Amino acid sequence: MPRPPEDSRSQTAEVISVESLGADGVLLRVRPQEPLPRLRGARFFMLRREDRLSPAIPRPFSLYDQAGDELVFLIKLLGRGTRALGDMQPGARLRLIGPLGNGWPTFTPAQPLVMLAGGIGSVPFLVGIADALREGVAAEDMTMIYGAATAAQLFEFERFAALGVRVLAATDDGSRGFAGHALECLAVEQEEGRIPPDAWLYACGPGPMLAAVERLSRNTGVPAWLSLEELMGCGVGICNGCPVPTRPEGPLGAWNNAKCCVEGPVFSTDAIQIAEN
Amino acid sequence: MPSLAVTLGELQLANPILSASGTFGHGLEMEQFAPPERLGGLVSKTVTLRPRPGNPAPRIHETEAGFLNSIGLENRGLETYLAETLPEVAGADTRIFCNIGGESPEEYARLAALLDERSEIDALEINLSCPNVQGGRLPFSTDPALAERCVRAVREATSKPIFAKLSPNVSRIAELAVAVEQGGADGITAVNTLLGMQVDWRSGKPGLATVMGGYSGQGIKPVALRCAWECVQAVSIPVLGCGGIADADDVLEFLAVGCAAVQVGTASFSDPGLLGHLAADLAARLEAAGLESIAQVRGSLERHLSAK
């Protein structure tokens, strides 16, 4: 049975600050009781307030940034769980379980790559881009395409743009950058020769976008990795609440589904099947 | 230090705190958060004869004070459990309860017979009450005669202690408790999840793909406590209380109604480290109250009522 990562712990963390971002985002900065080493992009933590009965179960959040011994989460306010976290006051404590999940795979030097972010799916790329640069991917071989419905939902676009790699905006309403989806933007960039056709793909975003990346990778044979978000009850591989269908012929095909929390959240598209063909 | 040791029939437990099936893995998956030796016993996720792929997603949905699940007993089957999981848990310094699920008395008996040979297992827990299979019909935990047949079939197949896990989704749980005692159970686990559901009124979409599922968590504690008490009054075998337990006070409430021990489930999702310190919390709670043993708490409700 897959186990939670060896470096994961259940501890509490102190809220340092909660800062509003745009219409429906918050930056939550916390200091864990026990400091953590530098973590890979796309690893995640389960967070829960303990000062009230509800929400009863923690919620998974990808690591956004680390600053000294503080962890930073970029949270889109969607329901009771996220709002409860967004209402926290500095000095309060919350339950912090992690780091969990696998994170992005080790990046391959000299291999052009594209990071495709859809809305709040940008979160695992801030650290991910730094990981890739550290692991020898040249800045000019990397493009991030950051898509969202509107310019106001391109959370912290300038921070990504300041990382030294090419970052393109794509908005559904054309309010910033390319008018259309991140994948449509990718097609144009490739057609016009600014991104090589064999660039590997790393994607995080809404389900339909990830399914489209899976189909693209399947059709072109270009390797792709998806960082998935699923409902999770525990985050540590116990509850079986976050099944991801596997491809029978793929590396995880021995069982019909994988656990997103302990076998992901990053999966290569040859291992899983989220698109309906 | 107050004494936490408990005896369940012939089984000695270091403390009265067990993990509830399905919330602590099959084996030692949780050991880095809650070392198994801190638990009185570790109850496995339900093992079935053949592998079960489980139900479609969404399988979980949070509600007030708890959550709904419809996992559908996903597991890789008895063969994998015997070959991979049991050797792993053999070294754990705690009691190992294997929870089994079947679709007929014969299937339960076959599982019990195959597990009877394995010395790593201290006891069997018979899951008569999973609401997420067989369309939520719960045949074995709503019909006393069928429950008794299931337990008797297991009784005849194993010499290990057996505990029957009952469902709260019945009118008179005491009748089920009596039936499983007559079938030869050494103890009762009361209770499994309550049947529940959730719907988004805008879209009409259910919270769970199977529509109905099992509701667990702190919201069910009053119901679970009532069920446990009804069982305690109806039988002479030990009752393990289960449902909504999240801290030492909750544990003591179940002991007060007469439970011999308890199981903790959903609270391990809120904090996977909970069972690593709950027994110590319990000891501290007793000490602060000037008590030397959990035996002083057990059955205090009955003593209170009869003194009136």
Side-chain angles (χ1 to χ4, degrees):
Chain A
M1 293 294 125
R3 289 196 185 204
E6 279 178 18
D7 58 352
S8 58
R9 297 284 173 272
S10 176
Q11 59 170 315
T12 61
E14 182 190 350
V15 174
I16 302 300
S17 63
V18 185
E19 184 190 327
S20 288
L21 270 191
D24 58 354
V26 291
L27 267 183
L28 172 66
R29 196 176 282 271
V30 306
R31 183 183 295 129
Q33 208 164 0
E34 290 172 41
L36 293 155
R38 183 165 66 193
L39 301 169
R40 211 167 172 71
R43 296 201 68 192
F44 71 95
F45 289 82
M46 300 292 281
L47 303 183
R48 179 179 178 260
R49 292 180 74 144
E50 293 193 311
D51 59 343
R52 39 166 87 169
L53 206 53
S54 179
I57 54 172
R59 299 287 192 277
F61 295 98
S62 185
L63 174 69
Y64 180 54
D65 196 11
Q66 281 179 285
D69 56 2
E70 294 171 11
L71 303 177
V72 187
F73 297 96
L74 170 47
I75 297 173
K76 187 178 166 85
L77 301 174
L78 282 170
R80 290 189 297 136
T82 48
R83 279 179 215 289
L85 291 169
D87 288 343
M88 291 195 84
Q89 298 298 315
R93 302 196 76 84
L94 48 70
R95 175 66 44 189
L96 176 80
I97 306 160
L100 299 166
N102 53 4
W104 297 116
T106 306
F107 292 96
T108 305
Q111 170 59 50
L113 63 87
V114 180
M115 292 173 165
L116 294 158
I120 195 69
S122 61
V123 168
F125 290 117
L126 192 71
V127 175
I129 288 171
D131 291 340
L133 290 168
R134 193 170 346 98
E135 285 163 13
V137 181
E140 58 271 22
D141 280 340
M142 223 184 306
T143 306
M144 176 177 176
I145 304 179
Y146 189 169
T150 68
Q153 282 156 304
L154 292 168
F155 295 118
E156 298 223 299
F157 185 86
E158 310 310 331
R159 276 199 76 184
F160 289 92
L163 290 170
V165 304
R166 193 160 161 256
V167 182
L168 307 176
T171 51
D172 297 353
D173 66 354
S175 52
R176 180 160 187 173
F178 180 85
H181 293 169
L183 274 171
E184 292 166 344
C185 178
L186 172 67
V188 171
E189 290 292 308
Q190 291 188 320
E191 247 170 57
E192 296 179 359
R194 288 185 294 273
I195 294 178
D198 61 347
W200 291 2
L201 308 174
Y202 298 79
C204 184
M209 169 184 161
L210 297 184
V213 175
E214 180 189 318
R215 280 191 296 269
L216 178 67
S217 142
R218 201 90 71 221
N219 292 339
T220 58
V222 167
W225 289 266
L226 311 177
S227 183
L228 302 186
E229 179 178 58
E230 293 293 333
L231 292 170
M232 290 181 190
C234 70
V236 296
I238 297 300
C239 78
N240 284 278
C242 59
V244 179
T246 53
R247 282 170 70 75
E249 64 277 31
L252 299 174
W255 189 245
N256 62 298
N257 60 56
K259 293 175 175 177
C260 187
C261 62
V262 288
E263 295 177 85
V266 179
F267 293 95
S268 104
T269 50
D270 61 357
I272 57 166
Q273 173 89 46
I274 56 168
E276 288 175 15
N277 292 308
Chain B
M1 265 296 264
S3 164
L4 298 183
V6 294
T7 305
L8 305 175
E10 61 190 57
L11 268 185
Q12 305 283 328
L13 270 57
N15 66 60
I17 295 166
L18 295 91
S19 60
S21 181
T23 62
F24 214 70
H26 277 291
L28 301 184
E29 295 96 320
M30 293 285 263
E31 68 179 333
Q32 75 195 77
F33 299 112
E37 64 273 17
R38 310 252 178 97
L39 282 72
L42 193 159
V43 183
S44 78
K45 184 168 166 56
T46 298
V47 179
T48 55
L49 206 48
R50 284 171 291 280
R52 284 183 63 97
N55 289 335
R59 292 175 168 186
I60 57 174
H61 187 94
E62 181 161 341
T63 67
E64 295 300 329
F67 91 131
L68 296 161
N69 86 79
S70 175
I71 307 302
L73 301 184
E74 175 177 343
N75 80 101
R76 301 192 187 203
L78 181 70
E79 204 176 311
T80 303
Y81 179 76
L82 292 176
E84 294 174 17
T85 311
L86 268 184
E88 177 197 284
V89 299
D93 186 15
T94 188
R95 296 296 181 187
I96 304 299
F97 287 59
C98 178
N99 179 299
I100 55 173
E103 293 188 17
S104 66
E106 295 70 32
E107 203 175 308
Y108 280 104
R110 172 124 184 85
L111 278 157
L114 292 165
L115 290 162
D116 186 62
E117 303 161 8
R118 298 297 292 255
S119 61
E120 299 96 323
I121 298 172
D122 295 299
L124 299 182
E125 182 176 72
I126 313 171
N127 183 0
L128 296 173
S129 46
C130 179
N132 296 322
V133 294
Q134 296 160 310
R137 288 181 294 107
L138 294 158
F140 304 117
S141 60
T142 55
D143 176 346
L146 198 49
E148 184 179 339
R149 264 184 62 204
C150 268
V151 174
R152 179 159 293 126
V154 172
R155 176 75 291 155
E156 286 165 3
T158 180
S159 56
K160 292 187 191 294
I162 54 179
F163 292 78
K165 188 167 181 179
L166 300 184
S167 170
N169 304 299
V170 291
S171 310
R172 286 177 293 278
I173 195 168
E175 291 177 6
L176 275 300
V178 169
V180 298
E181 183 179 41
Q182 282 172 356
D186 299 286
I188 287 170
T189 303
V191 285
N192 208 317
T193 53
L194 273 76
L195 266 175
M197 62 184 278
Q198 174 72 25
V199 65
D200 179 331
W201 63 265
R202 290 176 186 83
S203 62
K205 198 178 162 222
L208 298 170
T210 51
V211 185
M212 298 198 299
Y215 175 39
S216 64
Q218 286 176 268
I220 77 164
K221 195 183 74 175
V223 178
L225 200 59
R226 184 269 299 169
C227 289
W229 187 51
E230 290 198 305
C231 290
V232 165
Q233 291 175 291
V235 298
S236 57
I237 51 178
V239 175
L240 311 187
C242 180
I245 297 173
D247 62 23
D249 287 310
D250 295 334
V251 174
L252 289 162
E253 287 176 22
F254 278 84
L255 298 180
V257 304
C259 292
V262 300
Q263 297 185 355
V264 179
T266 304
S268 283
F269 297 162
S270 304
D271 174 10
L274 175 67
L275 294 188
H277 60 78
L278 190 54
D281 295 350
L282 183 62
R285 209 85 186 98
L286 289 171
E287 197 157 28
L291 298 168
E292 284 160 14
S293 147
I294 52 170
Q296 291 169 274
V297 177
R298 188 172 171 199
S300 64
L301 171 66
E302 190 56 46
R303 290 194 291 279
H304 173 84
L305 295 174
S306 55
K308 270 183 147 180

